[in-house]
Amino acid sequence: MSLSDNTAAILSAADNLLMPTYAPLQIVPDHGVGSTIVDTDGRSYVDLGGGIAVTSLGHSSEVLKKALFDQAEKLWHVSNVFTTEPAMKLAAQLIEHTFADRIFFSNSGAEANEAALKLARRHAFNNGEPERYEIISLHGSFHGRTLFTVSTGGNPNYKTGFGPAIEGITHIAPNDIQALRDAISPATAAVICEPIQGEGGVRPLDRDYLRAVRQLCTEHGALLIFDEVQTGVGRTGTLFAYEQTEVIPDVLTSAKSLGGGMPIGATLAGGACAEALTRATHGTTFGGNPMACAVANAVLDEVRSPAIKRNVHDRGAQIRDGLEQLGKEVGLFAEIRGTGLLIGAELADPFRDRAKEIQIAALAEGVIVLVAGPNVIRFAPALNITEAEVEVGIERLGTALTKVLGR
Ligand SMILES: Cc1ncc(COP(=O)(O)O)c(C=O)c1O
């Protein structure tokens, strides 16, 4: 793909000016409408990645622009020295439509989880059990990049070189009830899991397992935290994925799609633990920012509509069918899994570890897909992506696969 001087300069600036924590793909998005992005050289791409499950209503949504501009005319920021109407409206919406009794607002998924984990320890502490501070987490999980959340997450590489990890965290195999029975104890403050492990390869936890986790947490007086940063806000066909599991957590974290592209995180808690974080025990300057909350209110109104729910189901089926068709001739995929518009296609053995190569080839054909590890191609597009956009995206992916697989 040839790059203009301007595009090449921007990419080279990213190499030279930023700490190299990322390896950005070699185009530069400039603007977008719906699920189409146009780069600085005028090429257009169907966006099947949704900014990693964030742009829930696509790019340049009229509804979200209106919510943002209306709020921008009024008030941008006042800090937590005050409260504001958009923040209270959002808290009320989240409480009305979930199990939660209280909300803590922050700015990202990692911060929402940081608050959830601190809440769990503080809840035990408040109950006169300061020795109950252990956290049980699952291999393959991802909860963010702060020290507490990398210590909790299931990828040991993310902890390397940062000094001692936060102590008191045990990792066990997902979907192994006996492993949890063995690990849980009166010292367990909380068990944390994603109903579908997103970064870990779009791996759903079994329903029976989740039911057993709930039961064991209740028996041992531990909190159950669901990290719904990736699965939440309509992505799996219900507002939150827990609604499909018959399991109600004590704490749930949300971010990503909640802001539709505005940075926001929320920690939701129900029952007695919702009272755990009292004055001055936790905080953040931007949490509950009126601009982010105004947009999130509009996101929630939209994603709860029957039309979006239907679209999540229909487009999810369309992507899965499309992938099955593309993969069947050469047996490309070992498994296509996920729910609604969070889909992972795991590469079969002959194509092992080629997800990145496929992502780059797809980009060259005009379609953005995500990877989840070296062996899974991931799809997390806008919940309002159209049938035509999916059709074009899958067709372009097909062309890319033909080229990259040399057939
Ligand atoms: C399940 C889950 N939790 C937490 C996070 C961290 O969110 P953020 O990058 O907004 O801090 C992510 C991000 O990918 C995630 O998928």
Side-chain angles (χ1 to χ4, degrees):
M1 218 171 356
S2 66
L3 302 177
S4 67
D5 290 349
N6 179 42
T7 301
I10 296 167
L11 290 170
S12 141
D15 283 345
N16 296 321
L17 306 182
L18 301 180
M19 296 186 193
T21 54
Y22 312 113
L25 291 166
Q26 294 298 292
I27 66 150
V28 177
D30 181 70
H31 59 277
V33 177
S35 284
T36 299
I37 281 181
V38 179
D39 73 11
T40 40
D41 293 335
R43 285 179 291 249
S44 73
Y45 304 82
V46 175
D47 183 4
L48 297 183
I52 321 189
V54 168
T55 47
S56 39
L57 296 176
H59 302 283
S60 217
S61 149
E62 291 302 327
V63 178
L64 299 193
K65 276 195 296 192
K66 180 165 180 358
L68 182 66
F69 294 161
D70 286 353
Q71 186 57 41
E73 297 280 1
K74 291 170 72 181
L75 189 70
W76 285 35
H77 173 81
V78 287
S79 89
N80 46 45
V81 170
F82 300 95
T83 194
T84 66
E85 196 172 348
M88 287 317 99
K89 188 172 169 227
L90 183 59
Q93 283 222 68
L94 289 169
I95 287 169
E96 182 184 345
H97 299 295
T98 68
F99 67 95
D101 294 314
R102 287 190 185 271
I103 312 292
F104 177 82
F105 286 124
S106 54
N107 315 291
S108 67
E111 282 175 273
N113 285 326
E114 182 85 19
L117 296 163
K118 284 180 71 180
L119 177 154
R121 287 185 167 180
R122 189 73 192 203
H123 177 58
F125 177 88
N126 294 348
N127 287 343
E129 297 186 291
E131 69 293 344
R132 185 193 277 277
Y133 62 80
E134 287 183 8
I135 306 290
I136 298 177
S137 169
L138 303 182
H139 294 307
S141 63
F142 183 77
H143 299 297
R145 296 289 203 144
T146 63
L147 190 58
F148 203 164
T149 54
V150 290
S151 303
T152 302
N155 188 336
N157 296 336
Y158 296 163
K159 292 174 247 192
T160 305
F162 297 111
I166 303 277
E167 62 170 285
I169 301 168
T170 306
H171 293 91
I172 58 172
N175 289 325
D176 182 343
I177 299 173
Q178 190 54 45
L180 180 59
R181 269 197 208 106
D182 294 342
I184 201 163
S185 78
T188 309
V191 176
I192 182 167
C193 60
E194 303 153 81
I196 303 171
Q197 293 191 330
E199 300 300 304
V202 191
R203 294 176 197 282
L205 296 182
D206 299 338
R207 283 213 189 159
D208 288 350
Y209 177 73
L210 288 172
R211 273 195 286 267
V213 175
R214 174 67 278 178
Q215 199 183 334
L216 285 165
C217 282
T218 305
E219 275 170 24
H220 289 82
L223 298 181
L224 174 56
I225 303 171
F226 274 2
D227 176 346
E228 292 229 31
V229 167
Q230 192 152 156
T231 53
V233 193
R235 182 150 300 281
T236 68
T238 45
L239 186 58
F240 290 102
Y242 81 86
E243 295 165 50
Q244 297 169 50
T245 67
E246 298 155 41
V247 168
I248 298 179
D250 302 292
V251 181
L252 179 148
T253 55
S254 180
K256 286 192 183 277
S257 288
L258 182 59
M262 285 294 280
I264 186 167
T267 305
L268 289 62
C273 74
E275 311 298 327
L277 292 178
T278 51
R279 183 162 311 155
T281 53
H282 195 55
T284 167
T285 298
F286 289 110
N289 171 274
M291 305 270 279
C293 290
V295 174
N297 276 315
V299 168
L300 281 188
D301 286 342
E302 287 293 303
V303 302
R304 289 180 35 254
S305 72
I308 291 282
K309 285 186 182 163
R310 207 170 27 253
N311 199 56
V312 168
H313 176 270
D314 292 351
R315 299 291 74 78
Q318 190 187 354
I319 292 174
R320 293 172 77 114
D321 288 352
L323 292 173
E324 259 153 39
Q325 291 302 321
L326 291 182
K328 76 175 180 208
E329 203 178 305
V330 292
L332 179 61
F333 300 119
E335 191 180 17
I336 298 169
R337 53 184 178 243
T339 310
L341 282 174
L342 180 57
I343 297 168
E346 178 162 349
L347 298 170
D349 275 343
F351 309 97
R352 217 172 162 74
D353 293 347
R354 293 179 70 182
K356 189 81 200 170
E357 197 184 330
I358 291 171
Q359 182 189 41
I360 290 167
L363 194 69
E365 296 306 320
V367 57
I368 297 167
V369 300
L370 303 169
V371 299
N375 208 36
V376 174
I377 306 171
R378 180 173 34 152
F379 303 83
L383 309 184
N384 62 354
I385 190 170
T386 65
E387 185 175 1
E389 285 166 331
V390 170
E391 199 176 311
V392 175
I394 293 289
E395 192 184 302
R396 292 179 183 177
L397 180 61
T399 309
L401 289 172
T402 304
K403 288 191 181 167
V404 87
L405 304 177
R407 63 184 175 94

